[in-house]
Amino acid sequence: MMIKENILKIKEELPSAVKLVAVSKFHPVSELMEAYDAGQRRFGENRPQEFAEKVPRLPSDVEWHFIGHLQTNKLKLVLPYAYMVQSVDSLHLLQSVEAWLTANPVRKEPLRVLLEMHLGAEETKHGMSEEEICGIFSEASNYPHVSFCGLMGMATNTDDQERIRSDFERIASFREKVAATYPDLPLNELSIGMSNDWRIAVGCGATIVRIGTAIFGPREY
Ligand SMILES: *Cc1c(COP(=O)(O)O)cnc(C)c1O
């Protein structure tokens, strides 16, 4: 029953305005249900097949967040069910999402998305530059099936707290800038912070934290 205790402990410390997404990737449905029974309603998954398999096995009031790299040939596994796609990491993906939603009118409301900003020092990490993100927001009307809600980012994978804080401060101040530049878009959400750095993220203005290991324990790949 550690899952329940872990959630309650995090919630005790997390400001009530910050939304907790329980990252349940690689964990079985029985463990998601333990979290659900502890009151958790937001879950995050990063693999389309696993996402699509889990959605129908949990109660329908779960809010599903997709947080992983999404290939354009997997959209049908994710877009009908996602409350939010946090990980739109390229213009190509965004254009494919808009085209898919135009061709498949399965949703009653536009799909909430966050644009993923490249933050960490790692070359391999997905995400867009500030220029690419501004380019998309300035042409937001090209995407009527999408609702832009803000930004997502991952800090450099390091123990250096100051490096993590500076990554988070960079995305936080960029979010403020784009929110002021594009006042017609509701760019209120800032999804930063995972198991090891969510307290830093909250200090930098996170509105969403994505926590896996600290809730469900280590993943067995
Ligand atoms: C796996 C994952 C998380 C959660 O990571 P933990 O360190 O287990 O909390 C958060 N965000 C993304 C994008 C992930 O892929």
Side-chain angles (χ1 to χ4, degrees):
M1 288 310 284
M2 282 310 286
I3 291 171
K4 178 176 184 184
E5 284 151 24
N6 291 342
I7 288 174
L8 296 181
K9 226 172 81 200
I10 291 167
K11 286 218 164 141
E12 232 170 69
E13 221 184 303
L14 195 66
S16 59
V18 180
K19 297 183 266 287
L20 171 63
V21 171
V23 176
S24 47
K25 63 194 190 193
F26 294 92
H27 289 278
V29 165
S30 58
E31 294 183 9
L32 279 73
M33 276 311 299
E34 249 182 87
Y36 182 92
D37 290 337
Q40 183 62 28
R41 291 295 180 273
R42 297 185 184 91
F43 290 87
E45 291 282 336
N46 73 337
R47 297 185 299 172
Q49 192 69 45
E50 181 177 350
F51 180 90
E53 283 167 14
K54 282 175 172 171
V55 166
R57 299 183 57 200
L58 262 83
S60 61
D61 62 342
V62 166
E63 194 181 279
W64 291 98
H65 293 249
F66 192 80
I67 62 169
H69 180 56
L70 183 52
Q71 289 174 301
T72 54
N73 61 349
K74 303 278 172 64
L75 298 182
K76 66 172 185 297
L77 295 171
V78 172
L79 301 190
Y81 318 110
Y83 173 85
M84 178 182 275
V85 175
Q86 296 202 6
S87 45
V88 171
D89 56 11
S90 72
L91 175 61
H92 174 66
L93 172 59
L94 178 64
Q95 289 171 334
S96 304
V97 165
E98 176 61 29
W100 192 92
L101 292 170
T102 305
N104 302 274
V106 293
R107 302 180 62 93
K108 291 193 212 81
E109 50 187 33
L111 175 70
R112 296 169 195 81
V113 307
L114 304 181
L115 297 188
E116 183 173 349
M117 180 174 173
H118 180 88
L119 262 195
E122 296 86 356
E123 292 284 322
T124 53
K125 259 191 190 145
H126 295 289
M128 292 186 271
S129 68
E130 298 186 6
E131 291 73 24
E132 288 173 283
I133 291 171
C134 286
I136 288 169
F137 287 153
S138 65
E139 302 196 330
S141 60
N142 288 350
Y143 309 98
H145 294 85
V146 163
S147 173
F148 295 103
C149 298
L151 302 177
M152 185 269 244
M154 277 199 263
T156 306
N157 187 5
T158 174
D159 290 333
D160 178 353
Q161 310 276 300
E162 282 318 306
R163 173 68 214 237
I164 293 170
R165 188 182 312 277
S166 95
D167 286 345
F168 286 160
E169 281 173 352
R170 189 156 70 84
I171 188 172
S173 69
F174 181 62
R175 190 209 61 82
E176 281 183 21
K177 187 179 123 190
V178 291
T181 307
Y182 307 100
D184 294 343
L185 302 176
L187 302 174
N188 300 314
E189 303 291 358
L190 180 61
S191 176
I192 51 174
M194 317 192 337
S195 291
N196 288 327
D197 56 19
W198 66 267
R199 290 176 184 84
I200 303 173
V202 167
C204 294
T207 65
I208 300 173
V209 292
R210 312 177 307 271
I211 300 181
T213 309
I215 293 175
F216 296 103
R219 293 176 284 272
E220 288 169 29
Y221 292 96

